[in-house]
Amino acid sequence: MSKTSHHNQDVQDSDGKFSWLYSNTVKEHFFHPKNIQLKDPKLKEFNGVGTVGSPACGDVMTIWIQVDPKTKRLKKCTWRTFGCASAIASTSMLSVMVTRRGGMKISEAEKLTPQDILKELGGLPPRKVHCSVLGDQALRAAIEDYKNSKKTQK
Ligand code: FES
């Protein structure tokens, strides 16, 4: 990276070449997103869904979850977004974090913060941090939806 690099740019021209400020982990999740939901899910495939928009950029994110009603663990977490590379990478990472090792309990998933996602990603450029909030908020909305639908079933 050149000494004259501008740290407020995500992709920049240095010495006539393009270099990226994204970590390798971010790039891996952007180019090979995990758990992306390209087709509309089938009825009953999931038991929670949440959609949120980002006031910072106007992008939208939907997350679908499948919670095991007995263990309250997240068995599946898929997502779709109009958001940017950072939103794709951070939500891909989030979906992996909440479903690995048999799935996180929803009570634990609710405690996750965008900072936890950033840590696993190896950081994001500062003005892209809001993109990781999108997935975090959509997951919270999906968990709320799961809890509310449980209440109405009673
Ligand atoms: Fe909108 Fe990243 S700029 S999600």
Side-chain angles (χ1 to χ4, degrees):
M1 202 174 293
S2 81
K3 281 185 191 136
T4 55
S5 66
H6 299 292
H7 288 284
N8 63 346
Q9 289 180 359
D10 308 327
V11 180
Q12 61 188 295
D13 196 327
S14 67
D15 306 328
K17 291 185 200 137
F18 278 103
S19 68
W20 291 52
L21 284 179
Y22 288 128
S23 72
N24 286 336
T25 311
V26 171
K27 280 189 261 180
E28 161 62 21
H29 279 268
F30 172 50
F31 289 121
H32 307 284
K34 320 288 183 256
N35 303 311
I36 191 161
Q37 182 78 41
L38 292 175
K39 288 192 195 144
D40 286 341
K42 294 192 194 90
L43 207 66
K44 304 243 164 112
E45 203 182 334
F46 297 95
N47 51 16
V49 60
T51 298
V52 295
S54 165
C57 64
D59 286 321
V60 175
M61 170 78 66
T62 299
I63 286 190
W64 291 266
I65 54 171
Q66 175 66 51
V67 181
D68 182 326
K70 288 201 187 87
T71 63
K72 300 279 188 286
R73 288 186 186 275
L74 286 154
K75 302 319 275 181
K76 277 200 247 171
C77 174
T78 66
W79 54 276
R80 186 192 289 171
T81 189
F82 291 118
C84 68
S86 298
I88 291 169
S90 51
T91 312
S92 171
M93 176 57 92
L94 174 65
S95 70
V96 169
M97 287 165 71
V98 299
T99 52
R100 66 190 169 193
R101 297 192 273 273
M104 200 178 260
K105 288 200 165 192
I106 52 174
S107 54
E108 292 165 345
E110 282 174 315
K111 289 189 202 124
L112 281 178
T113 64
Q115 281 67 36
D116 296 322
I117 306 169
L118 292 186
K119 217 162 128 194
E120 298 251 355
L121 283 175
L124 278 176
R127 87 198 152 83
K128 286 286 168 188
V129 169
H130 75 266
C131 314
S132 64
V133 175
L134 213 49
D136 185 71
Q137 295 291 316
L139 177 63
R140 279 163 206 277
I143 293 174
E144 270 314 297
D145 181 52
Y146 166 76
K147 288 181 178 170
N148 288 338
S149 61
K150 283 260 126 208
K151 274 186 219 148
T152 53
Q153 274 169 26
K154 279 180 191 153

